[in-house]
Amino acid sequence: MSSLNRVLAIETSCDDTSVALVESGGWVRQLLSAHQDLIHQPFGGIVPELASRDHSQHLIPLIEETLKRANLEWRDLDGLVVTARPGLLGSLLVGLVTTKALALCHSLPWLGVNHLEGHLMAPFLRDEKYQPPQDFDYPYLALAISGGHTQLYRVKALGEYEVLGRTLDDAAGEAFDKFAKLVGLGYPGGVQVDREAQSGAVDKYSFPRALQKEGNLNFSFSGLKTSAQNLIQGWSQEKIKSERAHLCASYQEAIVEALLYKLDQAAEKHKAQRIVLTGGVSANSRLRLRAQEWANRKSYRLVVPPIRYCTDNAAMIGWAGLQRLQRGERSPENLAPSARSLKGDFIELS
Ligand code: KG4
Ligand code: ZN
């Protein structure tokens, strides 16, 4: 086994400052995150400048607290891992610069990784309360759904990810968040739409399921948002409020069905046996229920990691990076953050 067994990982690509200690086998020894929801709430969306400022205030104290809680010192670490792309440039920069400085200071090897690779590694994480199903392994289909991304991958091995489909416009989480704002729910809206929808009727309103005839595995959610806008145009606040549960349930159903439709097509086409849902939207209770029913019906093994590993977190980044460091990979000193994934991060099929 490689002598490189424990890394400290840092994730600051969007609006969560997250630090983790990850060990061989995908063991998460410690995971601490600071959330910025209250900071961005008044604006109804993430303000990049505020996000990076908050990361720079919280990152070092969070690293110190993480080591303290694990009862570890810098000399107990074998390396550092950080999210280098894709994400908000200013936010990524805070994590990357901090990592480089700490690596230099403590003479540790370090690596910058792709955030989406982290999401794809989430099902392998384990801790005292969670471990992946015993027979879980490559290959699998993974649907990564969050506020920033909606991508469908075929994961063949570490570093071998075929992109089967992606959203052509809004991400699924963005569709939830924009709708929440429209019907007067706070930010981030996904979890509130989920809650409201519990007491609504899924078929009271009809929203479109886009791209079902095109024969590809891409998604589109911008038409859905427009159709919601058109529906409630001219409605009074009282009417929106009294119909909110039904609106949420019907709108949520459209997103869930759009996601499952393409997942089903992809699973058939690629003869998949294992399916993974990851990213913040996989916390959605209706999606979890419908996805499990679908998987049972089709005899697929569905793995949805616990929410702490589905939403943005440093543990998934640590496990992706630790495996790469063990392979001997290192980042160049001049590695820069990138808002987008780089050519070579993923295998594009079309
Ligand atoms: O993965 P994540 O924490 O951060 C990003 O990379 O974006 O995902 C956040 C997204 C937000 O859009 C949020 O509204 C959505 O996940 N989300 C949900 C639920 N919980 C979080 N969407 C639907 N239902 C939920 N229960
Ligand atoms: Zn993410």
Side-chain angles (χ1 to χ4, degrees), residues 253-284:
E253 201 68 5
I255 297 182
V256 167
E257 287 191 351
L259 292 171
L260 290 182
Y261 181 85
K262 294 292 167 108
L263 198 52
D264 183 55
Q265 302 243 305
E268 293 260 337
K269 187 169 170 191
H270 294 277
K271 304 194 176 10
Q273 285 167 356
R274 306 178 194 95
I275 318 275
V276 170
L277 298 183
T278 182
V281 179
S282 51
N284 185 267

Side-chain angles (χ1 to χ4, degrees), residues 13-16 46 115 119 145-149 172-174 176-177 187-195 252 279-285 310-312:
S13 68
C14 192
D15 64 340
D16 293 305
I46 296 165
H115 174 85
H119 278 303
I145 34 178
S146 71
H149 13 262
E174 210 178 339
F176 271 110
D177 295 339
Y187 173 85
V191 67
Q192 307 197 48
V193 174
D194 190 349
R195 202 177 304 132
Q252 173 177 270
V281 179
S282 51
N284 185 267
S285 59
C310 276
T311 55
D312 283 355

Side-chain angles (χ1 to χ4, degrees), residues 1-6 78:
M1 197 196 270
S2 163
S3 60
L4 217 149
N5 287 316
R6 181 187 295 137
D78 302 322

Side-chain angles (χ1 to χ4, degrees), residues 9-11 17-22 27-35 62 65-67 69-70 125 127 306-318:
I10 294 172
E11 152 68 39
T17 317
S18 184
V19 177
L21 285 162
V22 182
W27 280 97
V28 183
R29 174 104 178 239
Q30 195 67 239
L31 171 62
L32 285 183
S33 302
H35 305 288
L62 209 56
E65 184 64 23
T66 304
L67 287 169
R69 287 201 194 180
L125 294 174
D127 56 32
I307 292 174
R308 61 187 174 282
Y309 300 143
C310 276
T311 55
D312 283 355
N313 69 88
M316 65 184 193
I317 302 301

